[in-house]
Amino acid sequence: NDFPWSAKSKITKRRIYNTHYLVKMQTMKMTDEVFRSFKVAKVFRENTDQINCLDFSPNGENMIASSNDDSIVVYCCLEGRPKRTVYSKKYGCDLVQYTHAPNAIIYTSNKVDDTIRYLSLHDNKYLRYFPGHTKRVVVLMMSPINDMFLSGSLDKTIRLWDLRSPNCQGVMHLNGRPVASFDPEGLIFAAGIDSRQLKLYDLRSFDKGPFSTFHVRQDFANCEWTGLKFATDGKKILISTNISQIKLIDAFQGDEIHTLS
């Protein structure tokens, strides 16, 4: 009764449309033919410099983009429009990730220092700082189930954090650029070691070392791993590299399933 009927009608129509849209997306099969039919529907030009990172909110309704122009832009995916822009003029912004709260993010800096910052988008205020890395952070990933997150840096460390504490929960020292990722259930995480090994850790006992180690074949001497991602079913791991090569690895046996180049 607080809304006029016309407003109620618009809200109802939007809910019906959104529900229909989500059902269609859930039933669509990603075939080669479907991918070939994709076309650019809209172009956003809010940024004046390189876009560094994109991330979707947990419910898929919003997307966030960080840029070298020191801006963090939030887009509404349901309406296809920018919602708001916040700025990080002092620290810059590189990698960005939504937390499980709809209006809170973590992001890394490309100015001043390499501290990770926890920001409320609601009032543009910092909730917490996570110092520790001494060089550029190249890995940032939230746990899919709780407030833990991973970071990896060119200081050759991978760190495990909890949003509720500024103190690092665990640190691994490596010999090269780190890559890391949580599995879809948030129970384990994988770490790439020296672009040659995959190590799997149980979050409940990561301090005891990896429970599995896989040696991955190197095709080229100058190949460096730049990213790592689990498949949604947790059965495969995708490794991206700096030489336009992507490896698909069996997450249980460590066997190389396929190499894309």
Side-chain angles (χ1 to χ4, degrees):
N1 294 330
D2 294 332
F3 294 99
W5 177 249
S6 59
K8 285 184 178 180
S9 178
K10 289 179 181 179
I11 293 172
T12 302
K13 286 180 180 178
R14 180 173 292 178
R15 285 175 178 168
I16 291 173
Y17 170 78
N18 291 345
T19 303
H20 177 66
Y21 172 78
L22 291 173
V23 169
K24 286 186 69 176
M25 289 300 293
Q26 290 171 356
T27 57
M28 181 184 292
K29 293 183 178 180
M30 292 292 103
T31 64
D32 183 66
E33 183 180 356
V34 169
F35 275 113
R36 290 178 184 274
S37 70
F38 286 173
K39 296 179 181 179
V40 175
K42 199 165 188 177
V43 178
F44 299 98
R45 305 186 187 278
E46 278 64 42
N47 299 106
T48 59
D49 207 333
Q50 171 183 302
I51 294 174
N52 295 322
C53 188
L54 303 172
D55 190 45
F56 286 93
S57 61
N59 61 11
E61 294 182 0
N62 297 301
M63 185 188 75
I64 197 163
S66 60
S67 169
N68 275 350
D69 63 10
D70 302 334
S71 71
I72 299 173
V73 183
V74 181
Y75 296 89
C76 175
C77 297
L78 298 178
E79 299 178 2
R81 63 174 179 84
K83 291 177 65 175
R84 65 171 304 189
T85 301
V86 296
Y87 290 94
S88 180
K89 294 290 187 181
K90 181 178 180 179
Y91 302 110
C93 45
D94 193 1
L95 304 180
V96 63
Q97 285 269 293
Y98 269 104
T99 65
H100 295 288
N103 288 310
I105 61 169
I106 51 174
Y107 75 96
T108 66
S109 304
N110 49 22
K111 295 180 182 179
V112 182
D113 59 25
D114 301 288
T115 296
I116 300 168
R117 292 172 171 84
Y118 183 18
L119 176 69
S120 168
L121 295 174
H122 174 69
D123 49 12
N124 198 22
K125 291 184 178 180
Y126 292 112
L127 304 175
R128 190 161 286 116
Y129 299 90
F130 302 96
H133 287 300
T134 57
K135 290 186 179 181
R136 179 190 168 203
V137 177
V138 293
V139 175
L140 186 67
M141 185 178 186
M142 281 295 306
S143 164
I145 62 169
N146 56 32
D147 287 337
M148 304 292 285
F149 70 93
L150 284 170
S151 66
S153 166
L154 295 181
D155 62 13
K156 301 180 182 180
T157 65
I158 293 175
R159 292 176 180 267
L160 185 65
W161 309 85
D162 189 316
L163 287 177
R164 296 164 293 186
S165 170
N167 300 316
C168 178
Q169 306 296 302
V171 59
M172 295 170 51
H173 295 273
L174 314 175
N175 293 322
R177 179 189 176 117
V179 289
S181 178
F182 286 104
D183 81 315
E185 295 181 349
L187 300 178
I188 67 173
F189 69 90
I193 310 297
D194 305 330
S195 297
R196 294 179 180 275
Q197 291 183 331
L198 269 178
K199 293 182 181 287
L200 303 183
Y201 295 82
D202 188 322
L203 271 174
R204 296 164 295 186
S205 56
F206 63 88
D207 56 324
K208 297 180 180 178
F211 63 85
S212 288
T213 299
F214 306 133
H215 296 270
V216 181
R217 177 173 55 90
Q218 279 280 48
D219 298 319
F220 302 94
N222 62 339
C223 178
E224 187 177 67
W225 296 355
T226 57
L228 190 155
K229 182 78 173 178
F230 275 89
T232 53
D233 60 6
K235 296 179 180 180
K236 302 179 185 68
I237 298 174
L238 203 65
I239 301 172
S240 59
T241 71
N242 65 338
I243 59 169
S244 301
Q245 185 183 75
I246 298 174
K247 289 181 176 289
L248 188 62
I249 307 296
D250 185 298
F252 295 102
Q253 304 298 326
D255 299 327
E256 186 176 322
I257 300 172
H258 199 70
T259 297
L260 305 172
S261 59

